[in-house]
Amino acid sequence: QVQLKESGPGLVQPSQTLSLTCTVSGLSLTSNSVSWIRQPPGKGLEWMGVIWSNGGTDYNSAIKSRLSFSRDTSKSQVFLKMNSLQSEDTAKYFCASPYNNFKYWGQGVMVTVSS
Amino acid sequence: IMLTQSPATLSVSAGESISLSCRASQNISTNLHWYQQKPNESPRFLIKYASQSISGTPSRFSGSGSGTDFTLNINGVEPEDFSVYFCQQSNNWPLTFGSGTKLEIK
């Protein structure tokens, strides 16, 4: 059974860096890609980027300069870091798989940017 | 690529058959996928590549279209179908989603 689960702080101060973890079970990260998608409250979905099975990454150009993904295959975890957070970054953050359409989703983690 | 979904909200009674529209700003072939999202839940994958059903998707859901115009059909809406529906394209990077259609009870 495939499961993805996001974790991280619920509150981040403006201008600070967000760090999130996606823990994956039932899927090998060396054979499958993981994407990050976010959803502001009451709004639509924004694809943020993907970390490929070979560890390479691709990002949405709209937020590329602030974003980085990494992973620890031994722990089956994928990491998101995004800097210079502003109020517009308040959203629920999901990890999902695979890469061009998303059969598997985590439950999401709500992140609020506020002082 | 921008995806425009219409209507934004659709009010129907259970048992009705409906069509939801997703229009792409340029030709995306059949690289269009549909999701259902209930409040406080993650999206659920319904249809891939415009018309291919996903294992577990009820047979009342079907998709059609190619190029720029796509439709999600529900043949006889059930009470559990009242949710928000999103389309998503995978023809071009970055992947994009439509703004959603909320299906609500009349």
Side-chain angles (χ1 to χ4, degrees), chain B residues 42-101:
Chain B
S42 308
R44 172 191 175 189
F45 194 23
L46 285 180
I47 300 282
K48 64 180 180 180
Y49 297 109
S51 62
Q52 298 178 23
S53 292
I54 306 302
S55 173
T57 299
S59 59
R60 62 183 179 276
F61 289 90
S62 64
S64 63
S66 66
T68 60
D69 289 311
F70 301 86
T71 301
L72 175 69
N73 300 294
I74 308 178
N75 185 16
V77 174
E78 297 284 342
E80 61 267 30
D81 299 338
F82 291 100
S83 358
V84 179
Y85 292 86
F86 293 100
C87 56
Q88 175 243 319
Q89 66 82 24
S90 61
N91 195 70
N92 288 65
W93 298 88
L95 307 183
T96 50
F97 291 84
S99 56
T101 290

Short mmCIF file of all heavy atoms in Angstrom, two decimals, chain B residues 42-101:
data_model
loop_
_atom_site.label_atom_id
_atom_site.label_comp_id
_atom_site.label_asym_id
_atom_site.label_seq_id
_atom_site.Cartn_x
_atom_site.Cartn_y
_atom_site.Cartn_z
N SER B 42 -7.34 15.26 0.43
CA SER B 42 -6.45 15.36 -0.72
C SER B 42 -7.26 15.07 -1.98
O SER B 42 -8.27 14.38 -1.94
CB SER B 42 -5.33 14.32 -0.62
OG SER B 42 -4.68 14.40 0.62
N PRO B 43 -6.80 15.58 -3.11
CA PRO B 43 -7.48 15.24 -4.38
C PRO B 43 -7.42 13.74 -4.64
O PRO B 43 -6.48 13.05 -4.24
CB PRO B 43 -6.67 16.01 -5.42
CG PRO B 43 -6.10 17.17 -4.67
CD PRO B 43 -5.77 16.61 -3.31
N ARG B 44 -8.45 13.26 -5.30
CA ARG B 44 -8.54 11.85 -5.69
C ARG B 44 -8.48 11.79 -7.21
O ARG B 44 -9.22 12.50 -7.90
CB ARG B 44 -9.86 11.26 -5.21
CG ARG B 44 -10.16 9.86 -5.71
CD ARG B 44 -11.60 9.47 -5.39
NE ARG B 44 -11.97 8.18 -5.98
CZ ARG B 44 -13.21 7.71 -5.98
NH1 ARG B 44 -14.19 8.40 -5.43
NH2 ARG B 44 -13.47 6.54 -6.54
N PHE B 45 -7.59 10.96 -7.72
CA PHE B 45 -7.38 10.80 -9.15
C PHE B 45 -8.57 10.05 -9.74
O PHE B 45 -8.88 8.94 -9.30
CB PHE B 45 -6.08 10.01 -9.33
CG PHE B 45 -5.50 10.01 -10.71
CD1 PHE B 45 -5.77 11.00 -11.63
CD2 PHE B 45 -4.62 8.99 -11.07
CE1 PHE B 45 -5.20 10.99 -12.88
CE2 PHE B 45 -4.03 8.98 -12.32
CZ PHE B 45 -4.32 9.98 -13.23
N LEU B 46 -9.23 10.62 -10.76
CA LEU B 46 -10.43 10.03 -11.34
C LEU B 46 -10.23 9.47 -12.75
O LEU B 46 -10.62 8.36 -13.06
CB LEU B 46 -11.55 11.07 -11.42
CG LEU B 46 -12.28 11.50 -10.18
CD1 LEU B 46 -13.33 12.54 -10.55
CD2 LEU B 46 -12.93 10.31 -9.47
N ILE B 47 -9.68 10.32 -13.61
CA ILE B 47 -9.57 10.01 -15.05
C ILE B 47 -8.19 10.47 -15.52
O ILE B 47 -7.74 11.56 -15.16
CB ILE B 47 -10.63 10.78 -15.86
CG1 ILE B 47 -12.05 10.42 -15.41
CG2 ILE B 47 -10.45 10.54 -17.37
CD1 ILE B 47 -12.58 9.09 -15.91
N LYS B 48 -7.52 9.67 -16.32
CA LYS B 48 -6.24 10.06 -16.90
C LYS B 48 -6.34 10.11 -18.42
O LYS B 48 -7.15 9.42 -19.02
CB LYS B 48 -5.12 9.12 -16.46
CG LYS B 48 -5.28 7.69 -16.94
CD LYS B 48 -4.11 6.83 -16.43
CE LYS B 48 -4.25 5.39 -16.91
NZ LYS B 48 -3.13 4.53 -16.44
N TYR B 49 -5.47 10.96 -18.99
CA TYR B 49 -5.39 11.10 -20.45
C TYR B 49 -6.78 11.23 -21.07
O TYR B 49 -7.13 10.51 -22.01
CB TYR B 49 -4.59 9.94 -21.03
CG TYR B 49 -3.16 9.97 -20.52
CD1 TYR B 49 -2.70 9.02 -19.62
CD2 TYR B 49 -2.29 11.00 -20.90
CE1 TYR B 49 -1.41 9.09 -19.11
CE2 TYR B 49 -1.01 11.08 -20.40
CZ TYR B 49 -0.58 10.12 -19.51
OH TYR B 49 0.69 10.20 -19.00
N ALA B 50 -7.52 12.14 -20.52
CA ALA B 50 -8.81 12.60 -21.03
C ALA B 50 -9.95 11.61 -20.86
O ALA B 50 -11.07 12.02 -20.52
CB ALA B 50 -8.70 13.01 -22.50
N SER B 51 -9.70 10.33 -21.07
CA SER B 51 -10.83 9.39 -21.09
C SER B 51 -10.55 8.04 -20.44
O SER B 51 -11.43 7.18 -20.43
CB SER B 51 -11.27 9.15 -22.54
OG SER B 51 -10.22 8.57 -23.28
N GLN B 52 -9.34 7.86 -19.91
CA GLN B 52 -9.00 6.56 -19.33
C GLN B 52 -9.36 6.51 -17.85
O GLN B 52 -8.87 7.30 -17.04
CB GLN B 52 -7.51 6.29 -19.51
CG GLN B 52 -7.07 6.22 -20.96
CD GLN B 52 -5.58 6.00 -21.10
OE1 GLN B 52 -4.92 5.49 -20.19
NE2 GLN B 52 -5.03 6.39 -22.23
N SER B 53 -10.17 5.57 -17.49
CA SER B 53 -10.59 5.46 -16.09
C SER B 53 -9.47 4.92 -15.22
O SER B 53 -8.60 4.18 -15.69
CB SER B 53 -11.80 4.54 -15.98
OG SER B 53 -12.93 5.14 -16.55
N ILE B 54 -9.52 5.29 -13.98
CA ILE B 54 -8.57 4.80 -12.98
C ILE B 54 -9.24 3.68 -12.20
O ILE B 54 -10.44 3.75 -11.93
CB ILE B 54 -8.17 5.93 -12.02
CG1 ILE B 54 -7.66 7.14 -12.80
CG2 ILE B 54 -7.16 5.47 -10.99
CD1 ILE B 54 -6.48 6.84 -13.66
N SER B 55 -8.47 2.69 -11.81
CA SER B 55 -9.01 1.63 -10.98
C SER B 55 -9.66 2.22 -9.73
O SER B 55 -9.05 3.02 -9.02
CB SER B 55 -7.88 0.67 -10.58
OG SER B 55 -8.35 -0.28 -9.64
N GLY B 56 -10.90 1.85 -9.50
CA GLY B 56 -11.62 2.35 -8.34
C GLY B 56 -12.55 3.50 -8.65
O GLY B 56 -13.40 3.85 -7.82
N THR B 57 -12.41 4.11 -9.83
CA THR B 57 -13.33 5.19 -10.20
C THR B 57 -14.67 4.59 -10.61
O THR B 57 -14.71 3.72 -11.48
CB THR B 57 -12.76 6.01 -11.37
OG1 THR B 57 -11.52 6.60 -10.98
CG2 THR B 57 -13.73 7.11 -11.78
N PRO B 58 -15.77 5.05 -10.01
CA PRO B 58 -17.08 4.49 -10.37
C PRO B 58 -17.37 4.67 -11.86
O PRO B 58 -16.96 5.66 -12.47
CB PRO B 58 -18.05 5.30 -9.51
CG PRO B 58 -17.23 5.75 -8.33
CD PRO B 58 -15.86 5.99 -8.89
N SER B 59 -18.09 3.73 -12.42
CA SER B 59 -18.35 3.73 -13.87
C SER B 59 -19.23 4.90 -14.31
O SER B 59 -19.29 5.20 -15.51
CB SER B 59 -18.99 2.41 -14.28
OG SER B 59 -20.20 2.21 -13.58
N ARG B 60 -19.88 5.57 -13.38
CA ARG B 60 -20.69 6.73 -13.77
C ARG B 60 -19.84 7.93 -14.19
O ARG B 60 -20.35 8.87 -14.80
CB ARG B 60 -21.65 7.15 -12.64
CG ARG B 60 -20.97 7.58 -11.37
CD ARG B 60 -22.01 7.90 -10.30
NE ARG B 60 -21.39 8.31 -9.03
CZ ARG B 60 -20.97 7.45 -8.12
NH1 ARG B 60 -21.12 6.15 -8.30
NH2 ARG B 60 -20.40 7.90 -6.99
N PHE B 61 -18.54 7.89 -13.87
CA PHE B 61 -17.63 8.96 -14.29
C PHE B 61 -17.00 8.60 -15.63
O PHE B 61 -16.49 7.48 -15.81
CB PHE B 61 -16.51 9.15 -13.27
CG PHE B 61 -16.95 9.76 -11.96
CD1 PHE B 61 -17.36 8.94 -10.92
CD2 PHE B 61 -16.93 11.13 -11.78
CE1 PHE B 61 -17.75 9.49 -9.71
CE2 PHE B 61 -17.32 11.68 -10.57
CZ PHE B 61 -17.73 10.86 -9.54
N SER B 62 -17.01 9.53 -16.56
CA SER B 62 -16.32 9.32 -17.83
C SER B 62 -15.76 10.66 -18.30
O SER B 62 -16.26 11.72 -17.94
CB SER B 62 -17.25 8.73 -18.87
OG SER B 62 -18.30 9.64 -19.18
N GLY B 63 -14.72 10.56 -19.11
CA GLY B 63 -14.11 11.77 -19.65
C GLY B 63 -14.01 11.70 -21.15
O GLY B 63 -13.98 10.61 -21.74
N SER B 64 -13.99 12.85 -21.77
CA SER B 64 -13.85 12.91 -23.21
C SER B 64 -13.14 14.19 -23.61
O SER B 64 -12.96 15.10 -22.79
CB SER B 64 -15.22 12.84 -23.89
OG SER B 64 -16.01 13.96 -23.53
N GLY B 65 -12.75 14.24 -24.87
CA GLY B 65 -12.14 15.44 -25.42
C GLY B 65 -10.71 15.24 -25.87
O GLY B 65 -10.07 14.24 -25.56
N SER B 66 -10.23 16.21 -26.63
CA SER B 66 -8.84 16.25 -27.08
C SER B 66 -8.57 17.64 -27.61
O SER B 66 -9.50 18.39 -27.92
CB SER B 66 -8.55 15.19 -28.14
OG SER B 66 -9.27 15.49 -29.32
N GLY B 67 -7.30 17.98 -27.70
CA GLY B 67 -6.94 19.30 -28.20
C GLY B 67 -7.08 20.37 -27.14
O GLY B 67 -6.20 20.49 -26.28
N THR B 68 -8.17 21.11 -27.17
CA THR B 68 -8.36 22.17 -26.19
C THR B 68 -9.63 22.04 -25.36
O THR B 68 -9.79 22.75 -24.37
CB THR B 68 -8.38 23.56 -26.86
OG1 THR B 68 -9.46 23.59 -27.80
CG2 THR B 68 -7.06 23.86 -27.57
N ASP B 69 -10.53 21.17 -25.75
CA ASP B 69 -11.82 21.07 -25.07
C ASP B 69 -12.04 19.68 -24.49
O ASP B 69 -11.99 18.69 -25.22
CB ASP B 69 -12.96 21.42 -26.03
CG ASP B 69 -12.99 22.89 -26.37
OD1 ASP B 69 -12.94 23.70 -25.43
OD2 ASP B 69 -13.05 23.21 -27.56
N PHE B 70 -12.33 19.68 -23.19
CA PHE B 70 -12.46 18.43 -22.46
C PHE B 70 -13.70 18.47 -21.58
O PHE B 70 -14.11 19.55 -21.12
CB PHE B 70 -11.22 18.19 -21.59
CG PHE B 70 -9.95 18.14 -22.39
CD1 PHE B 70 -9.26 19.30 -22.70
CD2 PHE B 70 -9.47 16.93 -22.87
CE1 PHE B 70 -8.10 19.26 -23.46
CE2 PHE B 70 -8.31 16.88 -23.63
CZ PHE B 70 -7.64 18.05 -23.93
N THR B 71 -14.23 17.28 -21.32
CA THR B 71 -15.45 17.19 -20.52
C THR B 71 -15.35 16.02 -19.55
O THR B 71 -14.87 14.95 -19.92
CB THR B 71 -16.67 16.97 -21.43
OG1 THR B 71 -16.77 18.06 -22.36
CG2 THR B 71 -17.95 16.91 -20.61
N LEU B 72 -15.79 16.27 -18.32
CA LEU B 72 -15.99 15.20 -17.35
C LEU B 72 -17.50 15.03 -17.20
O LEU B 72 -18.21 15.99 -16.91
CB LEU B 72 -15.37 15.56 -16.00
CG LEU B 72 -15.62 14.55 -14.87
CD1 LEU B 72 -14.85 13.25 -15.13
CD2 LEU B 72 -15.20 15.13 -13.51
N ASN B 73 -17.94 13.81 -17.42
CA ASN B 73 -19.36 13.50 -17.31
C ASN B 73 -19.62 12.64 -16.09
O ASN B 73 -18.83 11.74 -15.76
CB ASN B 73 -19.82 12.74 -18.56
CG ASN B 73 -19.61 13.53 -19.83
OD1 ASN B 73 -20.23 14.56 -20.04
ND2 ASN B 73 -18.71 13.07 -20.68
N ILE B 74 -20.72 12.92 -15.42
CA ILE B 74 -21.19 12.07 -14.34
C ILE B 74 -22.61 11.65 -14.71
O ILE B 74 -23.52 12.50 -14.82
CB ILE B 74 -21.19 12.76 -12.97
CG1 ILE B 74 -19.82 13.39 -12.69
CG2 ILE B 74 -21.53 11.74 -11.88
CD1 ILE B 74 -19.75 14.15 -11.35
N ASN B 75 -22.78 10.35 -14.92
CA ASN B 75 -24.06 9.81 -15.36
C ASN B 75 -24.86 9.37 -14.12
O ASN B 75 -24.74 8.25 -13.65
CB ASN B 75 -23.82 8.63 -16.31
CG ASN B 75 -25.12 8.10 -16.89
OD1 ASN B 75 -26.15 8.78 -16.81
ND2 ASN B 75 -25.08 6.92 -17.46
N GLY B 76 -25.64 10.29 -13.61
CA GLY B 76 -26.42 10.00 -12.41
C GLY B 76 -25.62 10.34 -11.15
O GLY B 76 -24.98 9.49 -10.57
N VAL B 77 -25.66 11.62 -10.77
CA VAL B 77 -24.88 12.08 -9.62
C VAL B 77 -25.36 11.41 -8.34
O VAL B 77 -26.57 11.36 -8.05
CB VAL B 77 -25.00 13.62 -9.49
CG1 VAL B 77 -24.32 14.11 -8.22
CG2 VAL B 77 -24.37 14.31 -10.71
N GLU B 78 -24.42 10.88 -7.59
CA GLU B 78 -24.69 10.28 -6.29
C GLU B 78 -24.37 11.29 -5.18
O GLU B 78 -23.59 12.22 -5.41
CB GLU B 78 -23.83 9.02 -6.10
CG GLU B 78 -24.12 7.91 -7.10
CD GLU B 78 -25.41 7.16 -6.79
OE1 GLU B 78 -25.91 7.26 -5.65
OE2 GLU B 78 -25.93 6.46 -7.69
N PRO B 79 -24.95 11.13 -4.00
CA PRO B 79 -24.70 12.09 -2.91
C PRO B 79 -23.22 12.29 -2.61
O PRO B 79 -22.79 13.40 -2.29
CB PRO B 79 -25.43 11.45 -1.72
CG PRO B 79 -26.54 10.67 -2.34
CD PRO B 79 -25.97 10.13 -3.64
N GLU B 80 -22.41 11.22 -2.74
CA GLU B 80 -20.98 11.34 -2.43
C GLU B 80 -20.20 12.08 -3.52
O GLU B 80 -18.99 12.31 -3.37
CB GLU B 80 -20.37 9.95 -2.20
CG GLU B 80 -20.45 9.01 -3.38
CD GLU B 80 -21.69 8.11 -3.34
OE1 GLU B 80 -22.73 8.55 -2.77
OE2 GLU B 80 -21.62 6.99 -3.88
N ASP B 81 -20.84 12.44 -4.61
CA ASP B 81 -20.14 13.12 -5.70
C ASP B 81 -20.08 14.63 -5.51
O ASP B 81 -19.38 15.31 -6.27
CB ASP B 81 -20.83 12.82 -7.04
CG ASP B 81 -20.83 11.34 -7.39
OD1 ASP B 81 -19.97 10.60 -6.85
OD2 ASP B 81 -21.68 10.93 -8.19
N PHE B 82 -20.78 15.16 -4.54
CA PHE B 82 -20.78 16.61 -4.35
C PHE B 82 -19.45 17.02 -3.76
O PHE B 82 -19.13 16.73 -2.61
CB PHE B 82 -21.97 17.03 -3.50
CG PHE B 82 -23.28 16.86 -4.21
CD1 PHE B 82 -24.10 15.76 -3.94
CD2 PHE B 82 -23.69 17.76 -5.18
CE1 PHE B 82 -25.30 15.58 -4.63
CE2 PHE B 82 -24.88 17.59 -5.87
CZ PHE B 82 -25.69 16.50 -5.59
N SER B 83 -18.62 17.65 -4.59
CA SER B 83 -17.24 18.01 -4.26
C SER B 83 -16.77 19.02 -5.30
O SER B 83 -17.56 19.51 -6.09
CB SER B 83 -16.30 16.81 -4.32
OG SER B 83 -16.88 15.62 -4.62
N VAL B 84 -15.46 19.28 -5.26
CA VAL B 84 -14.83 20.12 -6.27
C VAL B 84 -14.06 19.24 -7.24
O VAL B 84 -13.40 18.27 -6.82
CB VAL B 84 -13.89 21.16 -5.62
CG1 VAL B 84 -13.22 22.02 -6.69
CG2 VAL B 84 -14.67 22.05 -4.65
N TYR B 85 -14.14 19.57 -8.52
CA TYR B 85 -13.45 18.81 -9.55
C TYR B 85 -12.42 19.70 -10.24
O TYR B 85 -12.73 20.83 -10.64
CB TYR B 85 -14.46 18.27 -10.57
CG TYR B 85 -15.35 17.22 -9.95
CD1 TYR B 85 -16.52 17.59 -9.27
CD2 TYR B 85 -15.02 15.87 -10.00
CE1 TYR B 85 -17.32 16.64 -8.67
CE2 TYR B 85 -15.81 14.92 -9.41
CZ TYR B 85 -16.96 15.30 -8.73
OH TYR B 85 -17.75 14.36 -8.11
N PHE B 86 -11.21 19.18 -10.35
CA PHE B 86 -10.11 19.90 -11.00
C PHE B 86 -9.64 19.14 -12.22
O PHE B 86 -9.57 17.91 -12.21
CB PHE B 86 -8.90 20.04 -10.06
CG PHE B 86 -9.13 20.92 -8.86
CD1 PHE B 86 -9.41 20.38 -7.62
CD2 PHE B 86 -9.02 22.30 -8.97
CE1 PHE B 86 -9.60 21.18 -6.51
CE2 PHE B 86 -9.21 23.11 -7.87
CZ PHE B 86 -9.51 22.55 -6.64
N CYS B 87 -9.26 19.87 -13.25
CA CYS B 87 -8.54 19.26 -14.36
C CYS B 87 -7.07 19.67 -14.26
O CYS B 87 -6.74 20.66 -13.61
CB CYS B 87 -9.13 19.65 -15.71
SG CYS B 87 -9.25 21.43 -16.03
N GLN B 88 -6.20 18.91 -14.89
CA GLN B 88 -4.75 19.16 -14.84
C GLN B 88 -4.14 18.71 -16.16
O GLN B 88 -4.49 17.65 -16.68
CB GLN B 88 -4.13 18.36 -13.69
CG GLN B 88 -2.61 18.44 -13.60
CD GLN B 88 -1.94 17.10 -13.78
OE1 GLN B 88 -2.41 16.07 -13.26
NE2 GLN B 88 -0.84 17.06 -14.51
N GLN B 89 -3.22 19.51 -16.70
CA GLN B 89 -2.57 19.15 -17.96
C GLN B 89 -1.13 18.73 -17.71
O GLN B 89 -0.45 19.26 -16.82
CB GLN B 89 -2.66 20.29 -18.97
CG GLN B 89 -1.89 21.56 -18.65
CD GLN B 89 -0.42 21.50 -18.99
OE1 GLN B 89 0.00 20.73 -19.85
NE2 GLN B 89 0.39 22.32 -18.32
N SER B 90 -0.69 17.78 -18.52
CA SER B 90 0.70 17.31 -18.43
C SER B 90 1.39 17.39 -19.79
O SER B 90 2.39 16.72 -20.03
CB SER B 90 0.73 15.87 -17.91
OG SER B 90 0.03 15.01 -18.80
N ASN B 91 0.85 18.24 -20.67
CA ASN B 91 1.46 18.36 -22.01
C ASN B 91 2.68 19.24 -22.00
O ASN B 91 3.62 19.03 -22.79
CB ASN B 91 0.43 18.92 -22.97
CG ASN B 91 0.83 18.73 -24.42
OD1 ASN B 91 0.83 17.61 -24.93
ND2 ASN B 91 1.17 19.82 -25.09
N ASN B 92 2.68 20.26 -21.16
CA ASN B 92 3.76 21.23 -21.09
C ASN B 92 4.15 21.51 -19.65
O ASN B 92 3.31 21.48 -18.76
CB ASN B 92 3.35 22.56 -21.74
CG ASN B 92 3.24 22.49 -23.24
OD1 ASN B 92 2.39 21.77 -23.76
ND2 ASN B 92 4.09 23.21 -23.92
N TRP B 93 5.43 21.84 -19.46
CA TRP B 93 5.88 22.28 -18.14
C TRP B 93 5.72 23.79 -18.05
O TRP B 93 5.97 24.49 -19.03
CB TRP B 93 7.35 21.91 -17.91
CG TRP B 93 7.60 20.47 -17.95
CD1 TRP B 93 7.88 19.71 -19.05
CD2 TRP B 93 7.56 19.55 -16.85
NE1 TRP B 93 8.02 18.39 -18.69
CE2 TRP B 93 7.83 18.26 -17.35
CE3 TRP B 93 7.32 19.71 -15.47
CZ2 TRP B 93 7.89 17.13 -16.54
CZ3 TRP B 93 7.38 18.58 -14.67
CH2 TRP B 93 7.65 17.32 -15.20
N PRO B 94 5.35 24.34 -16.91
CA PRO B 94 4.99 23.60 -15.70
C PRO B 94 3.61 22.97 -15.81
O PRO B 94 2.74 23.48 -16.53
CB PRO B 94 5.00 24.70 -14.63
CG PRO B 94 4.58 25.92 -15.37
CD PRO B 94 5.20 25.79 -16.72
N LEU B 95 3.41 21.88 -15.12
CA LEU B 95 2.09 21.30 -15.04
C LEU B 95 1.15 22.33 -14.43
O LEU B 95 1.54 23.08 -13.53
CB LEU B 95 2.12 20.05 -14.15
CG LEU B 95 3.15 18.98 -14.50
CD1 LEU B 95 2.99 17.78 -13.58
CD2 LEU B 95 3.05 18.55 -15.95
N THR B 96 -0.07 22.36 -14.91
CA THR B 96 -1.03 23.33 -14.38
C THR B 96 -2.37 22.67 -14.13
O THR B 96 -2.71 21.66 -14.77
CB THR B 96 -1.21 24.51 -15.35
OG1 THR B 96 -1.46 24.00 -16.67
CG2 THR B 96 0.02 25.41 -15.38
N PHE B 97 -3.11 23.28 -13.22
CA PHE B 97 -4.44 22.83 -12.87
C PHE B 97 -5.46 23.90 -13.22
O PHE B 97 -5.15 25.10 -13.23
CB PHE B 97 -4.53 22.59 -11.35
CG PHE B 97 -3.73 21.42 -10.85
CD1 PHE B 97 -2.37 21.57 -10.57
CD2 PHE B 97 -4.32 20.19 -10.63
CE1 PHE B 97 -1.62 20.50 -10.08
CE2 PHE B 97 -3.58 19.11 -10.15
CZ PHE B 97 -2.24 19.27 -9.88
N GLY B 98 -6.68 23.48 -13.48
CA GLY B 98 -7.78 24.42 -13.59
C GLY B 98 -8.18 24.92 -12.21
O GLY B 98 -7.74 24.39 -11.19
N SER B 99 -9.03 25.92 -12.19
CA SER B 99 -9.44 26.54 -10.92
C SER B 99 -10.54 25.78 -10.22
O SER B 99 -10.89 26.09 -9.09
CB SER B 99 -9.88 27.98 -11.17
OG SER B 99 -10.92 27.98 -12.13
N GLY B 100 -11.09 24.77 -10.89
CA GLY B 100 -12.06 23.90 -10.25
C GLY B 100 -13.51 24.24 -10.53
O GLY B 100 -13.86 25.39 -10.81
N THR B 101 -14.34 23.20 -10.49
CA THR B 101 -15.81 23.36 -10.54
C THR B 101 -16.36 22.72 -9.27
O THR B 101 -16.07 21.56 -8.97
CB THR B 101 -16.41 22.67 -11.76
OG1 THR B 101 -16.06 23.37 -12.94
CG2 THR B 101 -17.94 22.63 -11.65
#
